[in-house]
Amino acid sequence: QVSGTAASDATAVRLFVDASGEPGTVAVLGGAFAGSVSLADGEHQLTARARDAAGNFSADSATVHVTVDTIAPGAPPAA
């Protein structure tokens, strides 16, 4: 789940994963947005752009860096 705030006149927010990935678009209500992205194990960078009713996009947001690790650690060595 990714959430945040945009300008109060924003009508949608596009979420980008790793800059070159396909963006997802989420609705904005009163400047607040939330959406889901699927991430594989590894390091990822997320950015967002808000769109207003006229179709103008904002500059990219600050980049958020995340690491996904779904592999359980091995058992500790026996003492």
Side-chain angles (χ1 to χ4, degrees):
Q1 181 77 15
V2 177
S3 62
T5 56
S8 61
D9 65 343
T11 59
V13 171
R14 295 185 86 181
L15 302 174
F16 294 85
V17 178
D18 299 329
S20 62
E22 289 296 316
T25 302
V26 295
V28 177
L29 180 60
F33 69 90
S36 297
V37 294
S38 296
L39 300 174
D41 276 12
E43 296 180 5
H44 300 281
Q45 298 177 3
L46 307 176
T47 56
R49 285 185 206 144
R51 184 180 72 214
D52 65 16
N56 301 308
F57 282 94
S58 68
D60 285 355
S61 67
T63 301
V64 175
H65 300 270
V66 297
T67 300
V68 177
D69 180 4
T70 61
I71 300 170

